[in-house]
Amino acid sequence: MAKLIIKDLHVGINEKEILKGVNLEVDSHEIHAIMGPNGQGKSTLLSAIMGDPKFTITKGSISFDGKDVLAMSVDERSRMGIFLGMQYPAEIPGVNNSDFMRAAMNARLEKPISLFKFIKEMEGAIEDLGLSSEMAHRNLNEGFSGGEKKRNEIVQMKLLKPNLAMLDEIDSGLDVDALQIVANAVYDLFNSQELSLLIVSHYERFLDLIKPTHVHVLLDGKIQETGGYELIKKIDSEGYDWVYDKYGVEKPAIQTRMSLDACGAKK
Amino acid sequence: MEQLVGNTNLTLVDSQVEIYELHDTQELNITTTEQTKSELVIRLVENTNVNCRIALAPYSELHILFDNETKQANINVVADVKRGASIRLGMYELSESTVKEQVLVNLLDQEAKAKVISTSISSTSKDFDIECIHHAPNTSSDMNNFEISDAGANYTLRACGTIKKGAVGSKSHQMSRILTTSENQISKATPVLLIDENDVMASHANSMGKMDDQHLYYLTSRGMDEKQAKELLTLSYLLPISEVFDNEDIRSDYINKVRSRVGL
C-alpha cells in the first residue's frame, strides 16, 4: 500500500525559504486537505513533491511507497503514480491535447495503447468532465478558459490513474455546476482504485463534496494544526486569526493601496 | 509522382492533386483556371536555382508546398492572386542545405487571400524573405513561420505585410516562432508591417528562445521523459506545415515525415 511520508521538508525559491520543516504522512486511501492563508507554502509543498525545478529542497525527505522521491526525476515520480493537478497549467502552443495525452499514457505502458482504445478512453473522460469533444484536438491548454484548464487536468488524472493525486486549487475558476462535476469525477476515481488525495483548496463547498479524512493548516511554512472535517467548518466560520494567535505567528501586514491622488497627476 | 525536366509551364485543372519532382528545371510557371481547386507538392531534388511564377485565376484555390531536398538552393516564388482566389503556400526546409528562399505574394484584386507557412530546421545558413502585398481592398494574408535553430545555424527571416494605399478592409497578420537549441547559432527575425491605408487590420507576433522550462516540467510531470517531452515540443514547430493541404494522403505523409524527423 503506497504511503507518502514527508519529514522536516525545507523548500526555497531564489534563496527565500518558503517551507520551514513540513512533516506529513498520507496513507493509502486517505484524503488530506491542506488549508491556510495565501502565500504560506501550500502550492510550494505540492510542487516540491512533484519536482518543479523552480524550487530547491534544502533539507528533509519525501518518500512514496518506500522509495526516495527526491532522488527521482519528475517523469519518474509521475510514472510511479504521483500526479499534480496544477493551479496554473502551462499553455503549450502547437502541442495537440490528444497527442500529448497519448504520449503520457504510452510513457507508462510497455506496449503502446491502441488508437481505438485511446480514443475511447479520452472521449469518455472528456465527456465525464462535461467538456466538448473538440477539446481533444485543441492545443494543450491554449485558449482554454480557466474552468476548461482545470477540467482538463482532471481528464488527465482519469486517464493516468495515479496512486497519489495532488490537486492544487483545482476548484478555483469553476462555476457551481463544474465544481460538482469535478468533485464527482475525483470522488468516483477515489472509490474505484487505490488512490490517496492531497488537496489544496480555499473553499468549503469543494471540500464538502470531497469529504477529507484529514485537514491540515499550513502557516509560516509549517503544518501548524491538524484535525478532521470539523477544522474546515471552524476555518470557514472563524477564518485563520485563531491559528496565528495559537501558534504565535505574526500576521502579515495588510498593504495599503496607493490612492489615485498620490500618483502625481495633480495640477 | 511526375518528374519535371527542363523549364516547364503547368496549367492546373480542377481537383488536381500532384507531386512533382524537379530536376534541372530553373523556370516553372504555374497557372490555375477559374473556379478550380488543386494541390501540388514541388519537390526539389537537384536544382540549385528555381524561379517559380504562379498565376491564380479568379476564384481559384491552390495549395502548394515547396519541399527542398537539395544541397544548396535558391528558391524564388512570386504568386499573383486575382479576385476571390486563394493560395496556401508552404516552404518546407528540413534539409541540411544552405538556402535562400524568397516568396512574394501579390494580392491583386478584391477578396484575394494568402496563407504562407514556412517550416525549417537549420544547422547551416538559411535565409527567408517572405512578403505579402495587398494591392486591393478586402484582401487578407497570414504568414506563419516556424524555425528550429540547431548548432551552426545562421537563420535570417524577414516577414513583411504591405498594405498599399486603397486596400481598405485588408487584413495582414504574421506570427513567427523560433526555437533555439544551442548557444552556438545565430537567428534573426524581422517582422515588418508597411501600412499605407486606414481601416485595415494588421498584427505581428514573434518569439525566439530555448525551450520553456515550465513547458518541459508540465510534460514530464505526466510521465514523459525529457527526451520525449522535447520531441513533442519540437513537433509543435513542424506539424503546422501539414495544414497546407486538404488532401488526407499528402497531409498524413507530411505528418509522418516530421514525426520521423523528430524520432516519434
Side-chain angles (χ1 to χ4, degrees):
Chain A
M1 300 291 266
K3 184 176 184 179
L4 176 75
I5 302 171
I6 299 172
K7 284 184 184 160
D8 193 28
L9 188 69
H10 291 246
V11 179
I13 184 168
N14 300 333
E15 306 200 352
K16 186 185 175 213
E17 190 172 48
I18 299 173
L19 296 184
K20 302 169 182 172
V22 169
N23 293 292
L24 179 68
E25 292 195 6
V26 180
D27 221 329
S28 181
H29 222 63
E30 288 180 348
I31 303 177
H32 288 239
I34 299 184
M35 303 184 77
N38 292 326
Q40 301 295 316
K42 302 184 296 297
S43 295
T44 303
L45 175 61
L46 302 195
S47 299
I49 298 169
M50 194 71 246
D52 187 337
K54 271 195 312 213
F55 298 100
T56 313
I57 317 285
T58 51
K59 197 178 166 193
S61 66
I62 304 174
S63 73
F64 183 63
D65 202 14
K67 298 183 184 87
D68 180 4
V69 171
L70 295 180
M72 293 179 179
S73 60
V74 176
D75 54 297
E76 285 170 335
R77 298 179 200 199
S78 167
R79 290 197 299 274
M80 82 174 300
I82 298 176
F83 176 86
L84 173 59
M86 299 192 191
Q87 188 179 3
Y88 303 110
E91 292 191 12
I92 307 191
V95 173
N96 176 294
N97 207 8
S98 65
D99 277 351
F100 156 70
M101 268 322 298
R102 201 162 163 220
M105 287 169 84
N106 283 339
R108 61 200 71 222
L109 297 171
E110 276 182 26
K111 218 175 115 194
I113 186 168
S114 77
L115 188 59
F116 177 75
K117 192 165 180 245
F118 168 73
I119 290 171
K120 209 173 147 207
E121 281 196 34
M122 178 121 186
E123 283 181 350
I126 284 175
E127 198 184 323
D128 288 349
L129 268 301
L131 290 165
S132 138
S133 59
E134 63 158 25
M135 290 291 283
H137 311 293
R138 287 171 61 183
N139 285 341
L140 184 50
N141 293 320
E142 197 184 31
F144 286 21
S145 70
E148 283 174 334
K149 281 182 188 167
K150 298 303 177 71
R151 285 194 259 184
N152 198 42
E153 293 291 283
I154 305 299
V155 167
Q156 294 171 34
M157 175 180 158
K158 277 178 79 87
L159 294 174
L160 298 178
K161 300 180 178 60
N163 302 117
L164 170 66
M166 305 183 286
L167 304 178
D168 191 0
E169 295 197 25
I170 208 78
D171 48 347
S172 65
L174 295 177
D175 61 41
V176 179
D177 293 337
L179 192 73
Q180 181 81 46
I181 290 169
V182 165
N184 287 348
V186 172
Y187 205 64
D188 286 351
L189 204 65
F190 179 76
N191 285 324
S192 65
Q193 65 176 83
E194 190 191 317
L195 174 66
S196 319
L197 291 169
L198 189 54
I199 293 170
V200 167
S201 172
H202 288 291
Y203 301 108
E204 185 198 1
R205 184 189 281 271
F206 185 64
L207 296 173
D208 261 347
L209 295 165
I210 298 282
K211 302 177 189 69
T213 53
H214 301 69
V215 179
H216 312 276
V217 179
L218 189 65
L219 199 65
D220 193 29
K222 285 181 183 170
I223 289 178
Q224 307 281 11
E225 181 85 12
T226 290
Y229 190 71
E230 73 289 344
L231 202 50
I232 297 171
K233 296 283 170 202
K234 186 167 180 178
I235 289 164
D236 196 50
S237 60
E238 296 176 29
Y240 291 109
D241 281 357
W242 63 275
V243 195
Y244 281 107
D245 294 343
K246 186 173 170 184
Y247 294 95
V249 177
E250 197 179 330
K251 206 174 167 186
I254 298 168
Q255 291 188 341
T256 49
R257 288 186 185 176
M258 188 192 287
S259 64
L260 275 178
D261 61 8
C263 73
K266 288 177 182 174
K267 290 183 190 175
Chain B
M1 190 181 316
E2 199 176 323
Q3 299 200 349
L4 297 181
V5 181
N7 295 343
T8 307
N9 295 321
L10 293 172
T11 303
L12 305 175
V13 295
D14 194 27
S15 306
Q16 189 169 350
V17 178
E18 211 85 55
I19 300 173
Y20 290 108
E21 241 182 32
L22 287 198
H23 286 265
D24 60 349
T25 305
Q26 295 203 346
E27 301 290 331
L28 175 64
N29 294 309
I30 300 170
T31 312
T32 65
T33 40
E34 276 193 40
Q35 297 188 327
T36 59
K37 178 182 169 181
S38 31
E39 301 202 308
L40 297 186
V41 175
I42 307 290
R43 202 163 280 161
L44 279 70
V45 184
E46 56 189 44
N47 300 50
T48 51
N49 287 296
V50 179
N51 284 312
C52 178
R53 188 97 200 185
I54 303 169
L56 268 83
Y59 304 102
S60 65
E61 192 175 341
L62 174 64
H63 306 157
I64 183 167
L65 178 84
F66 290 83
D67 179 352
N68 179 38
E69 295 175 358
T70 64
K71 291 275 178 272
Q72 190 181 23
N74 196 341
I75 305 167
N76 193 347
V77 181
V78 178
D80 294 330
V81 188
K82 292 281 182 62
R83 174 183 286 263
S86 94
I87 185 168
R88 262 188 246 159
L89 173 60
M91 307 302 284
Y92 181 77
E93 180 46 69
L94 269 56
S95 70
E96 288 171 10
S97 327
T98 298
V99 293
K100 190 167 168 52
E101 301 193 1
Q102 281 183 292
V103 173
L104 173 63
V105 180
N106 289 304
L107 299 160
L108 296 173
D109 298 321
Q110 293 225 26
E111 309 292 339
K113 285 183 191 149
K115 175 154 190 158
V116 182
I117 304 175
S118 77
T119 290
S120 50
I121 299 180
S122 305
S123 54
T124 55
S125 170
K126 291 192 178 175
D127 186 316
F128 287 79
D129 188 339
I130 296 169
E131 182 166 9
C132 291
I133 304 180
H134 299 250
H135 297 273
N138 302 317
T139 49
S140 63
S141 68
D142 190 9
M143 290 169 267
N144 293 335
N145 304 298
F146 301 90
E147 152 74 4
I148 298 169
S149 291
D150 290 335
N154 187 350
Y155 173 80
T156 309
L157 167 71
R158 177 181 172 271
C160 180
T162 301
I163 299 180
K164 296 276 191 191
K165 189 90 187 151
V168 289
S170 291
K171 294 174 187 166
S172 172
H173 299 292
Q174 56 171 289
M175 186 266 293
S176 304
R177 292 176 60 205
I178 298 163
L179 176 68
T180 58
T181 63
S182 160
E183 287 187 6
N184 194 16
Q185 52 77 35
I186 298 167
S187 300
K188 291 181 209 152
T190 313
V192 182
L193 290 171
L194 299 172
I195 299 171
D196 197 16
E197 184 53 86
N198 296 311
D199 190 21
V200 297
M201 287 171 74
S203 68
H204 60 70
N206 188 22
S207 72
M208 188 187 293
K210 65 185 185 70
M211 266 180 203
D212 187 311
D213 286 343
Q214 284 299 304
H215 288 178
L216 280 174
Y217 166 57
Y218 190 73
L219 298 182
T220 53
S221 80
R222 301 310 188 231
M224 275 168 253
D225 62 28
E226 198 173 310
K227 182 170 172 283
Q228 287 172 309
K230 282 183 173 169
E231 284 166 354
L232 198 61
L233 289 173
T234 305
L235 199 60
S236 74
Y237 284 77
L238 304 180
L239 275 181
I241 200 71
S242 65
E243 292 165 15
V244 170
F245 302 105
D246 288 343
N247 179 282
E248 281 301 325
D249 291 341
I250 303 184
R251 189 183 263 252
S252 62
D253 184 31
Y254 275 90
I255 290 173
N256 292 335
K257 268 177 111 165
V258 296
R259 276 180 178 278
S260 64
R261 175 65 192 250
V262 298
L264 279 170

